[in-house]
Amino acid sequence: MDRLCGSGDLGSKFWDSNLSVYTDSPDLTPCFQNSLLAWIPCIYLWAALPCYLFYLRNHKRGYIILTHLSRLKTAVGVLLWCVSWVDLFYSFHGLIHGSAPAPVFFVTPLVVGVTMLLATLLIQYERLRGVQSSGVLIIFWLLCVICGVIPFRSKILSAMAEGKISDPFRFTTFYIYFALVLCALILSCFKEKAPLFSPENVDPNPCPEASAGFLSRLTFWWFTKLAILGYRRPLEEQDLWTLDEEDCSHKLVQRLLDAWQKQQKQAPGPQNAAFEQKIPGEDEGLLRARPKSQTNASFLWALVRTFSSSLLMGVCFKLIQDLLSFINPQLLSILIRFISDPTAPTWWGFLLAGLMFMSSMMQTLILHQHYHCIFVMALRIRTAIIGVVYRKALVITNSVKRESTVGEMVNLMSVDAQRFMDVSPFLNLLWSAPLQVILAIYFLWQILGPSVLAGVAVIVLLIPLNGTVSMKMRTYQVQQMKFKDSRIKLMNEILNGIKVLKLYAWEPSFLEQVEGIRQGELQLLRKGAYLQAISTFIWVCTPFLVTLITLGVYVCVDENNVLDAEKAFVSLSLFNILKIPLNMLPQLISGLTQASVSLKRIQDFLNQDELDPQCVERKTIAPGQAITIQNGTFTWAQDLPPTLHSLNIQIPKGALVAVVGPVGCGKSSLVSALLGEMEKLEGTVSVKGSVAYVPQQAWIQNCTLQENVLFGQPMKPKRYQQALETCALLADLDVLPGGDQTEIGEKGINLSGGQRQRVSLARAVYSDANIFLLDDPLSAVDSHVAKHIFDQVIGPEGVLAGKTRVLVTHGISFLPQTDFIIVLADGQVSEMGHYSALLQHNGCFANFLRNYAPDEDQKEHEGLQDGDEEVLLVEDTLSTHTDMTDNEPSIYEVRKQFMRQMSSMSSEGESQNRPVTKRHTNPSEKETQVTNAKKTGALITQETAETGNVKIGVYRDYARSVGLYTTLAICLLYVGQSAAAIGANVWLSAWTNDAVVDGRQNNTSQRLGVYAALGILQGLLVMLSAFTMVVGSVQAARLLHAALLHNKIRSPQSFFDTTPSGRILNRFSKDIYVIDEVLAPTILTLLNSFFMSISTLVVIVASTPLFIVVVIPLAVLYGFVQRFYVATSRQLKRLESISRSPIFSHFSETVTGTSVIRAYGRMEDFKVFSDSKVDTNQKSSYPYIASNRWLGVHVEFVGNCVVLFAALFAVIGKNSLNPGLVGLSVSYALQVTLALNWMIRMMSDLESNIIAVERVKEYSKTETEAPWVVEGNRAPKGWPTCGAVEFRNYSVRYRPGLELVLKNLTLRVQGGEKVGIVGRTGAGKSSMTLCLFRILEAAEGEICIDGLNVAHIGLHDLRSQLTIIPQDPILFSGTLRMNLDPFGRYSEEDIWRALELSHLHTFVSSQPAGLDFQCSEGGDNLSVGQRQLVCLARALLRKSRVLVLDEATAAIDLETDDLIQGTIRTQFEDCTVLTIAHRLNTIMDYNRVLVLDKGAVAEFDSPTNLIAAGGIFYGMAKDAGLA
């Protein structure tokens, strides 16, 4: 290098220590300034060029038009290039004129000139690629300025020293160059306009990150605007930015699907042949049936392939950050040496302090870029997994669906996808931890020599210990997941069947089941938490033990080894670096174990069998036919016997075909087989044309009634009107508050069974398909509505005439009008043909008909004139004779009340009749909510997000649940632990200052002993506090869950009608999970970081009291950042949790309706729905991630200032300080950044998570129903003895402020009397039965049974003595025995006898498990008829004196209906029977019939008298052909 600079006047040495280091006024030699210093920026730019060009080529954002800014930048670049060339030509000029300049004056201008040209070209190329702000160039210009500052100073100094300028030309060009470089730097900090054709031009609220400048991105300054907004007022959904294109679900899911598809293709195994048949559409890889045994396709690889670029970026950032973290200990080492050396020049100290600050800032910026990269990737992974699981759930077979319940599938989406998100940030530790450990050991070896190996040995020995602890934790985790799954599944069933539980008084049995599962869950939780405490103890003690043993070995090995401040504190700060990866390891291991469990669950689910799209041939078919089955044999699952066998059916185009047969003979299965929902074992099925499907149990979406009917088709008013009219829905629209814009609750909860079925039918009519598969749509509606629908829709004159219709039915009266009839028996076609042909054939069908068909002459009555019929319909049924309220009366009544109030809306009454909204809304909000609900007919109240600060009361509640003494103990233990830690370090500081006598220190053993004692004390206190926390948090988890469960089980029915089950389930799953597993560790970490920060300040202030001056402004800055951050992040977290539930409700809704979605071919639309819900959730997650980074950068700036000032004050007070104290205070300062960061993060996490306590508390305090048992007022034994029921002046309303539903009802039913209850919709039939069971409480008046006022006794005393056969037969998953007798009160013989009487004996005895036959969720593996018979068996077992039948005969064929009626007549001969009649012929032989009208008694007499009287009942009977 010296040669390069030449000799003579201008020549100089390259490096001169006396000039640059050992002096009070340092400077660099001219040679160094002209060569290396000038080249540094150039080397950087050329090194960065290849990667940057590659990046630019692959990222085009549209080009930016030439702006003034761009022109200016280019002009400055060109000028710089000119200045360099001028310099070069000046050197040549000198060469020509005989003065020979040194070679460096040719090389440097050349290198700089070419680089400036490159920079100028880059400015233009970036503009064409749409780069608004260039990080590469900003760094380049910054380096140029920094490298220019030194010659700037030294040129002026030398001119002043010499009194003249030695080389005026180069002096001038240099200052021009410096001014231009400074301009270039300033210009490059401004960003360009947005590129043309970029999405930002159309986006109303784009994410500012995309257009942010380089510095803004580096410091996350672009987030500040949202932070300020969030501080000013709570954020709302419209404040959130729209997502970037590459973050949108559809993009991410598609990328993951493609990768998964490749994995499946590569996976070895027999299924590859199946891949040959391509399926159009995006999901080729996903939608393919796969053999069970084959699970080789690795989902992990698919994930890695999809997200590899983000991973690599993260790796690069992490690597740089890891290397940077080792610079500060080295600087600390030099600083301590500087303090020990009185002769060292002062500027060294200031330079060291500055370098420490710079190094910390670099670390901060790079670390947060790494985190941003990784967390965004984690969010994308979660999004992609949710999308893939959703798409898979649309195509799994029914056998798979039977194995995994809806709850388990939702868990895949919520819990398992979340696990991946949680583990992602730790992934880089897999390589980074070993790297940091190796580097730390290397540097420690430099200081302490081989003694380090003792410390390393401790680390190595502790790894297997940690390993065994986490393995054990993993097994607990898996078991706990199982408990959690089964608890959520059971809760889901309880919520779905809560009404039945109340009617049967079965709550205690289910309460016990849930509590049993919870008990097991908490035991595992406790064990796991103790292990967690032990591992905490291990990792708090590891760094200390390592330090202790290393230093101990170091001083004991050789008496001449002296422990001075440099060795002690530099090794301490290196051990602190070592502590971080070791601390994270347990978290990494547990995260990885959880993620691997989740990975396996997701992978197994994605490898499950799928429906074979080829199983139904859609293209070719025999001419003239619409549906053909040849020799078809079908099963529900491969391991089950076939349900349908050897079917040969041909249905011509345009035919109306009825399918009849007894319960369980396979009618619904036949429809499923035509839809391709069953597994085909042999034969062929062909279906030509589009299909519309009406399932037996209507599937209704949670959206408006209109959307349910349109079902994704464009609106055609004429067709829509016709669909509503023919399906008899117009009158319902008049009653519903929002007309067809009324929002329908989950599972159609606010419609009656009949309405649901008609909406489902209207959807089919509107779809205008070619083929209609109607699975018994007429059973849920009333006989005359059924007739209307048959005539107007299905029959030969209906709107579907000319289409192909397959109608499964139990109604005999329609059969003569069908083209032909298929009679099924035991899964085979027993007969097929036209009605008359079958009658003549004299087979089983003919016998069946003769028994059940009404006499021929009765048919005459059906010939009413059309006009007549219309009147009858409008008057009497249009809103169906079944009470629409059959199922969920309260809501229905609320709706009607809404209608009435809308016509006379009094302002003062407003806030009473509002739907149940949650608390925490201020009065003005309430008012708007009410009016909105009235306008739109929204039933389900929006889940409101709490805004503002979390109330102190919530923390108090949690502290109370933990136990006040426990809380106090935890805090005291932490104080003790911090004191012990400070003590140990102060002791170490004093030890390092011990005088050295004869090259050794005395009393080493005493020093070592006390240091060890203090350290071990600290470890024990940590463990004690962790154990105390476990005890407290498990107790809190138990109490909070118990309170929630007890309150929910006792909530009145109205609560469940207005609150979606998903919202309640969310409390039991997500919120309880947070209380179980998240709160305690969060609180512990918070306490840890809080005491760590306090100890740091105490130590620094004690050693350099001057520091107090800086503490105040830094604390103020910290407080500001904290206030801004917490307000914003808390609200973002709330928005995120609110937008999360719709994803899962939509998913569970989809899973229950897959057959309908597939039949109508709407899978793509539903994917789009799901994606948009996930995107809404992402919109709040993304700013939340950014808020953490924004916080990190700002808080670490405060921490880095602490480091800077600790070092600065140490330099200033150099003469009064000993090296031990400086080492102590600076090594503490180096840790403070992390502590401060975690402290805010944990405070915020605690605020976000403590909301779970608030939400659980809120639902633990809702209003409950009357007590189950009133001790002083038990019913007498054997009550009721004769079963006389009396209503005395009885009135009832659904909720305070609503109108009466039953008005002054007075009637008496004698014991043993059989009474039928009929009336128009909304007349109050179901309400009457609900009042009997006190599901609704009296507004005035009373009900007496055998003279005892039912309001005086406990609910269970009442309900357990009455029996009901409800309309919807609900079963719970579990054994059949549990479904009949959950309390185990009856003997085996009793149960078998009940089964025999309910005609289930043959079915149950044919099952290998007998009474232990497992019913699936909701009893899905029994037909609807069989479920109804199970309900009958329940009634027979209970055999009380009062029996209520609520339209129990709706879904049953006539034969079974006859059996049930017969059983009721014989078995309940001496009981009081109240029947809400559906088919009038069932009550024609009753003692009396009660006709209700508008909540009052209209007629009450024997059927014969009523018919003779010619009133309302006569009209109904006439219409049903019975009068």
Side-chain angles (χ1 to χ4, degrees), residues 30 224 454 669 919 972:
T224 309
S669 300
R919 50 194 184 78
L972 288 174

Short mmCIF file of all heavy atoms in Angstrom, two decimals, residues 30 224 454 669 919 972:
data_model
loop_
_atom_site.label_atom_id
_atom_site.label_comp_id
_atom_site.label_asym_id
_atom_site.label_seq_id
_atom_site.Cartn_x
_atom_site.Cartn_y
_atom_site.Cartn_z
N PRO A 30 -2.61 10.77 5.03
CA PRO A 30 -3.21 11.11 3.72
C PRO A 30 -3.34 9.88 2.84
O PRO A 30 -4.33 9.75 2.09
CB PRO A 30 -2.21 12.10 3.13
CG PRO A 30 -1.51 12.70 4.30
CD PRO A 30 -1.45 11.63 5.36
N THR A 224 -46.30 4.74 12.67
CA THR A 224 -46.57 5.75 13.71
C THR A 224 -47.96 6.37 13.58
O THR A 224 -48.65 6.59 14.56
CB THR A 224 -45.50 6.86 13.62
OG1 THR A 224 -44.23 6.22 13.62
CG2 THR A 224 -45.59 7.80 14.79
N ALA A 454 -15.24 -26.43 31.66
CA ALA A 454 -16.05 -26.84 32.82
C ALA A 454 -17.47 -26.32 32.65
O ALA A 454 -18.45 -27.03 32.85
CB ALA A 454 -15.44 -26.29 34.09
N SER A 669 -80.51 -42.49 1.87
CA SER A 669 -79.23 -42.98 1.32
C SER A 669 -79.28 -43.00 -0.21
O SER A 669 -78.28 -42.72 -0.87
CB SER A 669 -78.94 -44.39 1.83
OG SER A 669 -78.86 -44.38 3.23
N ARG A 919 -73.18 -6.16 27.68
CA ARG A 919 -73.01 -4.92 28.43
C ARG A 919 -71.85 -4.15 27.82
O ARG A 919 -71.34 -4.51 26.80
CB ARG A 919 -72.76 -5.23 29.88
CG ARG A 919 -71.68 -6.25 30.08
CD ARG A 919 -71.70 -6.79 31.49
NE ARG A 919 -70.59 -7.70 31.70
CZ ARG A 919 -69.37 -7.33 31.91
NH1 ARG A 919 -69.08 -6.06 31.93
NH2 ARG A 919 -68.41 -8.21 32.08
N LEU A 972 -43.35 -11.10 46.60
CA LEU A 972 -42.25 -11.05 47.57
C LEU A 972 -41.09 -11.93 47.13
O LEU A 972 -39.92 -11.56 47.24
CB LEU A 972 -42.75 -11.48 48.96
CG LEU A 972 -43.66 -10.44 49.63
CD1 LEU A 972 -44.23 -10.98 50.93
CD2 LEU A 972 -42.89 -9.15 49.89
#
